[in-house]
Amino acid sequence: MDKLLVQGGVPLHGSVKANGSKNATLPIMAAALLSAEPVIIEGVPDLMDVRTMAAVLQALGASVRFDPVDGIMNISAEVLRGNEPPLQLVQQMRASFLVLGPLLARCGRVRLSLPGGCAIGIRPVDLHLKGLTAMGAHFSMVNGCIEGETDGLKGARIYLDYPSVGATENIISAAVLARGTTILENAATEPEIVDLANFLNSMGALISGAGTTSIRVEGVSRLTGTRYKVIPDRIEAGTLLLAGIITGGEVIVENVLSDHLKPLLAKLRETGAEVEELGHSAIRAGRSGLLRAVDLKTLPYPGFPTDLQPQFMALLATCLGTGVITETVFENRFRHVEGLSCMGAQIQVDGRHAIVHGVSALTGAPVCASDLRGGAALLLAALGARGQTVISDPYHLWRGYYRLVERLQELGAKVKRVYPEPEQLISTGG
Ligand code: UD1
């Protein structure tokens, strides 16, 4: 297995461009199954999760062509030859479950194993099933798989007990071809939901209210093809901004929608970091001195994103004072604490709270990435730490960050991928 070798303590400087959003691309790819006409998606990041979703669609009979250099993906689901994505693909990535709504709408039947993905909690799918059941689907568990069928989805009034992002996406996708009107209350309001709705509307769907907690979908009989560009990745952009601040450098991240990053920018300013919005599509971040600890609570959008909580913890680890992080979205999202502690961070976990006592500096250590964003947190901490860090299992990072190592190197970071075993320190310029 490869590892990441990081020589910390080098301030990052320069500009870097955020890629298209992973979490917008995946539901949009799944929703491409709803049309028999070709769909072209622009701004698609070349990530392991995107390739897994492409493999899921191909296994169902869709043709998928991806140009990773231009970020353009062509999907044609003219004929589907199946409604059972292969078990090993679905178990690799939770987002494969996003084909549930589109397959029910398009084929009337679906068989899916329970989804896998990052080990950050139980992550049930009850809300997906409840919503689709209200629309006339029937589900049963057979040999560990969920089997669903319907003799025609119909519009319904659905209230989500929790604003689940994935459930909102599955229900919207199913509702666009249902008979009648669906009204979804307490819907998730994440920018990726708005992007999915805009994509579907560009194919002739009639969705209004996306981005608010009440979404209305008027069913239509068919969807056309389309050409659509996904929004920039707010989580990747936030991670890169944090990299600049943690290393004591200054980074400009381009191709961002600063509105989508409001909660992060507000918290960064509270620490005393220097954050400047350069128009609507670029942000500069850095710091001139020590930062103050702050408290933080993750919440559904527009609250602070759980997907940036681990990376922010890496920052808090060396802030002045004590900050409390409360994770309300996932019940097991502190697995990065172990690695940060190995690097000298002083963190106590008590249920959903992590109490972070700032230390003057972290020191390099051998650590292991436990999940995608937890791995990003360890990488950020390593970039800011004294000495050398070796990160095992960096493959988690390739699920969500495109050419991360190369792009950090362009900003001056001394980081490299080594295979199979690191033998020596990185020389300067690495
Ligand atoms: C999506 C994102 C993920 C992000 C998360 C929260 C994608 C591909 N992934 O994941 O990066 O961290 O939103 O912003 O877009 N829940 C239930 N029952 C359900 C569904 C969810 O209890 O039927 C719970 C989950 O266990 C979790 C919480 O709701 O504790 C949030 O999950 P959800 O919003 O569904 O996240 P995902 O769509 O899986």
Side-chain angles (χ1 to χ4, degrees):
M1 290 290 258
D2 60 346
K3 298 188 181 193
L4 277 185
L5 196 54
V6 186
Q7 184 68 41
V10 183
L12 303 192
H13 285 281
S15 297
V16 58
K17 218 170 171 178
N19 292 292
S21 159
K22 166 178 91 72
N23 287 353
T25 299
L26 296 173
I28 284 176
M29 286 174 70
L33 292 174
L34 289 163
S35 175
E37 293 180 25
V39 162
I40 301 170
I41 313 170
E42 295 176 27
V44 175
D46 185 13
L47 300 173
M48 234 161 73
D49 277 10
V50 166
R51 287 180 180 262
T52 304
M53 183 61 90
V56 168
L57 302 189
Q58 282 165 333
L60 295 168
S63 125
V64 182
R65 278 184 295 119
F66 180 37
D67 178 343
V69 178
D70 291 340
I72 294 181
M73 181 174 282
N74 291 259
I75 302 176
S76 172
E78 189 180 353
V79 186
L80 293 184
R81 62 164 178 268
N83 46 37
E84 284 185 37
L87 190 91
Q88 75 276 14
L89 291 177
V90 178
Q91 287 182 341
Q92 254 175 52
M93 181 182 74
R94 179 173 167 90
S96 339
F97 208 69
L98 294 171
V99 298
L100 181 74
L103 280 178
L104 267 179
R106 180 88 190 269
C107 312
R109 294 181 79 84
V110 58
R111 186 168 195 271
L112 271 173
S113 79
L114 284 172
C118 275
I120 54 176
I122 304 169
R123 304 181 90 177
V125 291
D126 55 320
L127 300 169
H128 301 238
L129 303 186
K130 207 168 145 189
L132 296 169
T133 301
M135 296 172 70
H138 302 280
F139 293 99
S140 50
M141 279 293 289
V142 182
N143 299 329
C145 286
I146 292 172
E147 290 190 0
E149 60 181 344
T150 176
D151 50 14
L153 293 173
K154 51 187 189 324
R157 189 173 269 273
I158 300 164
Y159 177 87
L160 287 181
D161 295 330
Y162 179 87
S164 153
V165 174
T168 301
E169 291 165 344
N170 253 329
I171 292 167
I172 292 178
S173 295
V176 290
L177 290 181
R179 260 177 294 124
T181 304
T182 298
I183 294 172
L184 182 57
E185 303 283 7
N186 200 27
T189 61
E190 269 70 2
E192 294 76 18
I193 305 281
V194 178
D195 216 29
L196 173 65
N198 287 342
F199 166 74
L200 288 167
N201 283 343
S202 77
M203 300 164 83
L206 296 172
I207 304 166
S208 55
T212 74
T213 55
S214 179
I215 298 177
R216 184 185 178 96
V217 186
E218 309 279 351
V220 296
S221 58
R222 61 180 283 278
L223 295 180
T224 63
T226 188
R227 187 176 182 110
Y228 188 83
K229 183 166 183 183
V230 295
I231 52 171
D233 196 313
R234 62 195 169 104
I235 306 302
E236 186 196 46
T239 305
L240 293 165
L241 290 170
L242 279 159
I245 297 170
I246 285 177
T247 60
E250 187 182 87
V251 165
I252 295 176
V253 182
E254 294 165 357
N255 189 36
V256 291
L257 295 171
S258 46
D259 268 3
H260 294 174
L261 278 163
K262 271 185 191 160
L264 172 70
L265 302 188
K267 279 290 154 191
L268 288 174
R269 288 188 174 116
E270 213 179 309
T271 66
E274 285 151 21
V275 179
E276 191 186 354
E277 293 169 48
L278 309 171
H280 287 295
S281 62
I283 300 172
R284 183 188 1 237
R287 71 176 152 98
S288 50
L290 288 174
L291 303 180
R292 291 180 296 277
V294 295
D295 295 337
L296 178 83
K297 192 188 229 180
T298 66
L299 286 168
Y301 192 84
F304 192 94
T306 174
D307 284 354
L308 281 172
Q309 175 264 107
Q311 301 91 312
F312 201 90
M313 188 185 285
L315 175 72
L316 268 190
T318 56
C319 283
L320 274 177
T322 298
V324 179
I325 293 186
T326 304
E327 172 59 60
T328 76
V329 179
F330 291 109
E331 74 281 1
N332 184 22
R333 203 167 199 175
F334 288 138
R335 288 164 50 113
H336 44 283
V337 168
E338 190 181 328
L340 292 175
S341 302
C342 288
M343 299 173 75
Q346 295 288 318
I347 304 168
Q348 291 157 274
V349 174
D350 180 7
R352 291 189 172 241
H353 307 286
I355 300 141
V356 186
H357 305 284
V359 295
S360 58
L362 298 181
T363 48
V367 292
C368 184
S370 56
D371 59 79
L372 165 56
R373 308 303 174 185
L378 296 183
L379 176 53
L380 295 189
L383 289 170
R386 291 193 191 126
Q388 180 180 263
T389 297
V390 180
I391 304 177
S392 307
D393 291 348
Y395 66 87
H396 289 289
L397 288 161
W398 321 147
R399 289 191 40 218
Y401 294 98
Y402 171 64
R403 290 184 69 244
L404 183 61
V405 170
E406 295 80 353
R407 294 157 80 217
L408 288 171
Q409 285 170 346
E410 283 160 19
L411 295 172
K414 289 186 186 162
V415 52
K416 68 177 179 183
R417 244 169 123 165
V418 285
Y419 186 90
E421 286 292 333
E423 275 164 10
Q424 56 201 30
L425 293 175
I426 306 174
S427 60
T428 48

